[in-house]
Amino acid sequence: MRRLIGWTAGVVGIAALARALARKRVHHPVAAPAPPAAPVDEHAEALRRKLDETRAAEGASAAAEPEPEAPREPLEERRARVHAKAQEAIDSMNEPL
């Protein structure tokens, strides 16, 4: 019984130590030097602006005219088609080489 209590106390102590060390790392991280700021590329900024304008224009035109929905295949026909395709795949896998 004393061994069990000793082991339990040891495990609890190790867990508490690990938590304390983890908190210390989180709250007091080692200060790493900040990476140098990347120079601003004017050409890249111009391309980003142009891309944003194009996306905004596409979004406005897409909102103006909704796409017509394709006629939907009846559910039973779709199930039959998918089943036939799956059966073909199974048959091709079962054929001897």
Side-chain angles (χ1 to χ4, degrees):
M1 186 67 178
R2 287 184 181 186
R3 285 185 182 179
L4 178 61
I5 293 172
W7 277 101
T8 305
V11 169
V12 170
I14 291 172
L17 179 64
R19 274 185 83 174
L21 290 175
R23 282 185 189 168
K24 187 174 183 180
R25 284 189 197 133
V26 170
H27 292 298
H28 303 290
V30 175
V40 177
D41 187 7
E42 293 177 16
H43 181 67
E45 288 299 320
L47 290 175
R48 284 188 190 100
R49 279 193 304 274
K50 187 175 180 181
L51 180 60
D52 290 339
E53 291 170 3
T54 305
R55 286 182 178 166
E58 287 176 356
S61 66
E65 52 183 72
E67 294 183 24
E69 288 189 29
R72 297 195 77 171
E73 183 178 13
L75 184 59
E76 289 302 320
E77 290 178 13
R78 183 174 174 203
R79 284 183 180 160
R81 182 177 47 82
V82 170
H83 179 75
K85 187 175 178 181
Q87 191 61 47
E88 289 176 13
I90 291 170
D91 292 341
S92 69
M93 286 188 267
N94 287 333
E95 291 177 356
L97 296 177

